[in-house]
Amino acid sequence: MKHIQKTALATLLVMSQLFTCALPLSAATTPSVVQQSAPAVYLVRQTQALLPDALLVHWTAEAAVVDIFVADKADTKVMKKIASDVKGNSYLIQQPTQSRPYVYVKPKDQPGHWVAERILPLQGGVNFRDLGGYPSQSGGTVVWGKLFRSGTMTDLTSADYQYLSALNIRTFCDFRAREELATEPTLYKNFAPEAQMLMRDYSMQEMMAGSNMHAFGKINSREQAIEVFSGFYRQGPERFAEQFKQMFEQLLAGKAPLAVNCSAGKDRTGMASALILSALNVPRQLVVDDYAMSEKVYNFGLREMQKRAKAGDKKDSPHNQFMQSMKPEVIQVMMGTDPALIRAMFDQLEKDYGSVDAYLQQKLGLDQSKLQQLRQMYLEA
């Protein structure tokens, strides 16, 4: 462990933030930046040659003197102190023993704050992220290590299975269609043998037809693509209502940690995650930002090419014909997470129900007492 000068650390923090925002690289090569509530706490994994596997923790509290702890889960009962009476606003943790530690920063005579890297360190993971750390307008922040979101898990390695098994995930909400489940099965028993699986039997082809997605081959502009793809998001809260309801029932029953996933971990998973964060009263802009993060932390275009190569690039397959019919700017919309898409979901909910809370109550059965219960369970001071 080593404490280095505040000015240099602040410079490293800014550089890492810019690098992360500017390059939509894979999760394996992108340093992750995590923000928590006031006083804000940030964590950055350093990738510079002189700082291999180092973690920079930075906080905004003025004139703070803090103690710093680490743990393999966000639990004060198991954390270990690694530094005392740290002055300034930052501290460098060199070569932490955990591959993704939770860090607890505690100012003197004040409550402490947990922080962790949002992207899980998986070799074969697709957009596997922790939803913890976001501030809630109800007070406190979303707990770390209880709510996860992911894409397909078909490429997980034995090391990934070992890492995920330690998370003790109790519920998986898999939003994929039967075709996706058949072509990219998840070996849940390898890392969560006791977890409950929430799935729904439906056809991807039927869903695409119902969302007018086949019209993508006739679209000529990004704007048109967003307009058409927005239809999928506008229909999502009704189409997946039963799974969303089951998801919240599991959370209310304490069956967490819980993970939601689909193929890319950005569309159906994006909607489910947005509803979870909204139920916890996370500000709308932060919910939108979390949705938009997917294309910054994972290269979906590269994965699409890898999938086609793995399948022998069967040019006559329905999937390849569909992809080849689209212009590059349209494919970018399908592969991306433009904020306009998740905003379309919220817009439709507000038109149909008056508010997101009204949808949660009327369609998913989450009255105010249940919303309050969720916030008590999944927010921390």
Side-chain angles (χ1 to χ4, degrees):
M1 314 297 178
K2 185 179 180 182
H3 187 208
I4 64 179
Q5 192 171 1
K6 171 184 172 183
T7 302
L9 288 176
T11 301
L12 286 172
L13 177 66
V14 172
M15 290 175 62
S16 296
Q17 287 176 317
L18 290 173
F19 183 73
T20 302
C21 295
L23 298 177
L25 303 177
S26 72
T29 58
T30 305
S32 55
V33 179
V34 182
Q35 180 174 343
Q36 197 156 305
S37 63
V41 181
Y42 305 86
L43 191 67
V44 180
R45 183 168 289 274
Q46 300 296 322
T47 58
Q48 292 88 346
L50 297 178
L51 298 170
D53 298 321
L55 287 172
L56 170 67
V57 59
H58 175 91
W59 53 94
T60 60
E62 293 298 325
V65 177
V66 307
D67 294 337
I68 299 175
F69 303 78
V70 295
D72 57 6
K73 58 182 177 179
D75 185 348
T76 56
K77 297 183 181 67
V78 298
M79 65 188 186
K80 177 183 178 182
K81 183 184 288 188
I82 61 170
S84 301
D85 300 328
V86 178
K87 298 179 181 179
N89 291 92
S90 51
Y91 187 86
L92 188 70
I93 306 172
Q94 292 188 355
Q95 298 178 331
T97 55
Q98 300 92 341
S99 61
R100 177 180 170 265
Y102 292 90
V103 180
Y104 190 72
V105 178
K106 188 183 184 309
K108 297 297 183 181
D109 303 319
Q110 295 181 38
H113 298 269
W114 284 105
V115 67
E117 291 179 285
R118 195 161 298 288
I119 305 167
L120 272 60
L122 302 173
Q123 297 171 351
V126 174
N127 199 18
F128 208 133
R129 313 203 311 256
D130 194 321
L131 287 173
Y134 289 120
S136 169
Q137 295 175 112
S138 299
T141 60
V142 180
V143 295
W144 287 97
K146 292 291 186 181
L147 305 168
F148 297 97
R149 55 176 296 169
S150 177
T152 181
M153 301 176 215
T154 192
D155 295 326
L156 295 176
T157 67
S158 57
D160 293 338
Y161 291 141
Q162 183 177 359
Y163 177 84
L164 290 172
S165 66
L167 299 182
N168 298 315
I169 297 175
R170 300 181 64 188
T171 304
F172 284 93
C173 302
D174 194 328
F175 290 93
R176 294 178 298 163
R178 67 175 74 105
E179 299 96 326
E180 298 167 289
L181 292 167
T183 57
E184 294 193 324
T186 300
L187 303 179
Y188 294 108
K189 297 298 182 183
N190 285 3
F191 61 96
E194 304 300 324
Q196 183 170 350
M197 312 301 168
L198 302 181
M199 301 176 183
R200 169 186 160 213
D201 183 27
Y202 70 96
S203 166
M204 173 63 74
Q205 292 297 318
E206 293 174 2
M207 184 184 71
M208 289 174 63
S211 301
N212 199 30
M213 295 286 284
H214 290 295
F216 266 58
K218 302 176 182 178
I219 293 173
N220 295 312
S221 70
R222 177 180 177 84
E223 290 72 24
Q224 287 180 312
I226 290 175
E227 182 179 354
V228 173
F229 205 7
S230 291
F232 174 73
Y233 280 80
R234 291 181 180 277
Q235 297 171 12
E238 300 296 331
R239 176 177 281 124
F240 298 103
E242 187 58 36
Q243 278 181 284
F244 292 155
K245 184 175 181 180
Q246 292 176 332
M247 174 182 74
F248 281 112
E249 287 173 348
Q250 291 293 102
L251 289 175
L252 285 166
K255 300 297 179 62
L258 173 145
V260 296
N261 78 280
C262 57
S263 286
K266 68 182 186 69
D267 299 315
R268 291 158 289 182
T269 293
M271 288 186 273
S273 301
L275 291 174
I276 290 174
L277 293 177
S278 296
L280 297 177
N281 209 13
V282 172
R284 175 70 55 82
Q285 187 56 54
L286 289 180
V287 177
V288 172
D289 290 345
D290 180 81
Y291 166 81
M293 190 186 303
S294 287
E295 68 178 60
K296 295 181 175 66
V297 302
Y298 195 81
N299 190 332
F300 296 103
L302 175 61
R303 172 161 175 77
E304 179 63 29
M305 289 189 290
Q306 291 171 337
K307 285 172 61 178
R308 292 170 66 176
K310 188 176 181 180
D313 197 14
K314 299 175 181 177
K315 293 182 171 53
D316 59 344
S317 72
H319 174 77
N320 281 348
Q321 289 180 1
F322 177 58
M323 296 298 292
Q324 291 166 7
S325 70
M326 293 186 291
K327 296 183 180 298
E329 56 268 33
V330 177
I331 294 178
Q332 287 177 359
V333 171
M334 286 201 67
M335 297 290 181
T337 48
D338 192 294
L341 298 171
I342 199 66
R343 288 194 179 110
M345 182 195 80
F346 286 125
D347 176 69
Q348 194 64 47
L349 288 178
E350 288 161 357
K351 285 182 178 178
D352 293 345
Y353 292 90
S355 68
V356 176
D357 271 11
Y359 162 80
L360 295 172
Q361 179 173 343
Q362 296 172 31
K363 193 70 178 181
L364 306 187
L366 296 175
D367 58 23
Q368 287 302 314
S369 64
K370 289 182 179 179
L371 285 174
Q372 182 62 27
Q373 182 180 347
L374 280 172
R375 293 164 188 170
Q376 289 174 347
M377 296 174 71
Y378 299 103
L379 296 176
E380 59 184 356

